[in-house]
Amino acid sequence: MIESSGKLITEELVKAGTDPELIERLKKDRITIDKELPPMEFLLKLFDVPCCPRGELVAFTGKAKSGKTFVMSMMMAAASAAEVLAFRRTTFEPLQVLWIDTEQSDQSTQDILRNRLVPMVCGGGDGFPESMYDIFNVRTESWTERMPLLMAAIDLCHPDLVILDGVRDLVDDINNGQLAHEVTERLMKVAQQARCCIVCVIHQNKAAEDRTLRGSIGTELTNKAFEVYECEKLMPSRTFVMTQKLTRKYDIVDSLYFTVDDRGLPRQVGAPQAGLEMTVITADGIARQTGLKAKYLIVHEDGSWEVDYRLLFRDALTNQGELCGGELRDRVMGLCGMKNRFQYGELLEKAKAGGILCMRKAGKKHYYWLAPD
């Protein structure tokens, strides 16, 4: 019936003198119940809720110095490290990241790479997967050249996740409505064609009480972005908070609170309370966010936390000299109440990399046992 209706509409349009080329384009753009479309793919999860889908724009906003670039660092680190604060990668394979910095100096961009991104990914030691990160600083380029350079970088690097910090620098006049519309439309088109998520960082208006995204480009992003997030610095506790403000699909009700430690790295904390500097998150709180049991989480005084891999795999291997991969997986997932095999794969890889597990291969199977302390 739907197909028959479509044919009738086409015939009527042809009779009315409509351009046949336009009719063919309409056919291509027609959405039906049976039309085969690729499922939505989300690159990350925040508090275990999907976010940052391929083929879409995502906006991050806030006042100046409100922690936006800190959040971008977390997202970029999670692309390789699998899990950073409340962000977690949804795919087993690492993500290719493209970071276009239009605001800071070359030295500042490099400082973030060396002293924030690298430690968050691999603890500051060897092993940083530099090939997975393409980072460009185009602050000194003219505004007319930044969009072509961004398009060239996407074409060259084939990224999964694009961080555009900031999108305002793709236009000469932030209140030029026509140009803002053209830039947003072009970003939407390339995100869809390249199957990447483009994260656009933009300031809020300067007035303290005005939280709208700046200028016409901000209005366009508010209307067209799949999700909009807001960053804010809370005083006097010096705590940063990131909150989802708008979404087309999944509501993220929790806000991400974090502070900065002595090394300049973000550490997750709880919401500041009256009369207190901050409340450090608990193992039970992290367990609700990650799906892991509190028993297998270690929370430090500064608010940072980690998985107790040795305890987890020791419990799984209790009364067992060794287990094959499938049996070990079932035991670990059962202990944690875990349903996501990708998440288990990440735990397994980290346990092996940390010297917690030993492995041997026999035929097509892998066998694991607990390494000595």
Side-chain angles (χ1 to χ4, degrees), residues 307-323:
V307 177
D308 192 337
Y309 296 101
R310 178 163 291 278
L311 177 60
L312 173 58
F313 284 94
R314 187 185 70 194
D315 285 359
L317 288 160
T318 297
N319 300 324
Q320 302 290 330
E322 63 179 21
L323 286 173

Side-chain angles (χ1 to χ4, degrees), residues 74-362:
M74 297 176 205
M75 297 172 67
M76 289 190 284
S80 289
E83 191 172 297
V84 176
L85 277 72
F87 284 104
R88 181 158 60 85
R89 193 178 70 236
T90 60
T91 60
F92 183 70
E93 294 296 327
L95 303 173
Q96 191 74 35
V97 175
L98 171 64
W99 177 18
I100 302 290
D101 192 345
T102 69
E103 295 190 343
Q104 304 177 101
S105 66
D106 289 354
Q107 291 82 356
S108 294
T109 303
Q110 187 182 63
D111 180 68
I112 291 173
L113 169 61
R114 285 178 173 174
N115 300 314
R116 190 184 302 167
L117 192 53
V118 171
M120 290 169 70
V121 171
C122 58
D126 296 332
F128 180 71
E130 194 163 4
S131 63
M132 301 302 296
Y133 293 88
D134 296 293
I135 300 172
F136 301 92
N137 188 301
V138 297
R139 186 175 75 161
T140 59
E141 303 289 346
S142 68
W143 74 270
T144 57
E145 293 299 320
R146 289 177 188 136
M147 177 64 89
L149 287 169
L150 170 62
M151 297 296 109
I154 292 174
D155 188 50
L156 174 68
C157 304
H158 306 290
D160 301 296
L161 179 66
V162 178
I163 305 296
L164 177 54
D165 189 1
V167 67
R168 178 262 177 271
D169 294 316
L170 299 186
V171 298
D172 63 336
D173 180 359
I174 200 168
N175 293 312
N176 185 328
Q178 179 62 33
L179 187 56
H181 175 76
E182 292 172 2
V183 165
T184 307
E185 289 289 322
R186 192 166 182 188
L187 290 175
M188 290 176 61
K189 184 175 182 179
V190 74
Q192 190 171 42
Q193 291 175 338
R195 294 286 294 156
C196 62
C197 176
I198 301 181
V199 177
C200 302
V201 181
I202 184 169
H203 288 281
Q204 291 175 337
N205 286 318
K206 292 182 179 180
E209 67 280 0
D210 190 350
R211 294 177 177 267
T212 55
L213 281 62
R214 288 190 66 189
S216 297
I217 188 73
T219 301
E220 288 291 326
L221 277 175
T222 300
N223 294 334
K224 302 293 178 61
F226 188 88
E227 302 165 312
V228 178
Y229 295 85
E230 179 184 77
C231 298
E232 185 180 4
K233 187 175 183 179
L234 306 177
M235 297 298 287
S237 66
R238 299 180 181 273
T239 303
F240 297 94
V241 57
M242 186 203 75
T243 306
Q244 185 192 69
K245 306 304 289 185
L246 299 170
T247 181
R248 296 187 187 276
K249 195 169 181 70
Y250 294 112
D251 290 311
I252 302 176
V253 297
D254 293 315
S255 295
L256 173 60
Y257 293 88
F258 64 95
T259 187
V260 180
D261 66 17
D262 293 338
R263 296 175 298 163
L265 299 178
R267 292 287 176 247
Q268 190 173 354
V269 297
Q273 297 180 2
L276 297 176
E277 279 294 301
M278 62 189 66
T279 302
V280 179
I281 56 176
T282 64
D284 287 336
I286 300 168
R288 288 192 295 271
Q289 298 166 13
T290 63
L292 296 172
K293 289 191 175 178
K295 174 183 178 181
Y296 301 116
L297 297 170
I298 302 171
V299 181
H300 302 292
E301 290 184 1
D302 63 359
S304 62
W305 61 273
E306 59 186 300
V307 177
D308 192 337
Y309 296 101
R310 178 163 291 278
L311 177 60
L312 173 58
F313 284 94
R314 187 185 70 194
D315 285 359
L317 288 160
T318 297
N319 300 324
Q320 302 290 330
E322 63 179 21
L323 286 173
C324 71
E327 292 174 323
L328 179 61
R329 180 195 63 219
D330 292 344
R331 281 176 174 250
V332 170
M333 292 181 71
L335 284 170
C336 294
M338 187 185 301
K339 298 180 180 179
N340 188 328
R341 289 195 177 189
F342 285 122
Q343 188 179 8
Y344 167 74
E346 293 163 1
L347 290 175
L348 179 66
E349 291 303 315
K350 287 187 176 181
K352 290 193 296 181
I356 306 298
L357 288 178
C358 298
M359 183 192 76
R360 68 179 179 88
K361 187 175 181 181

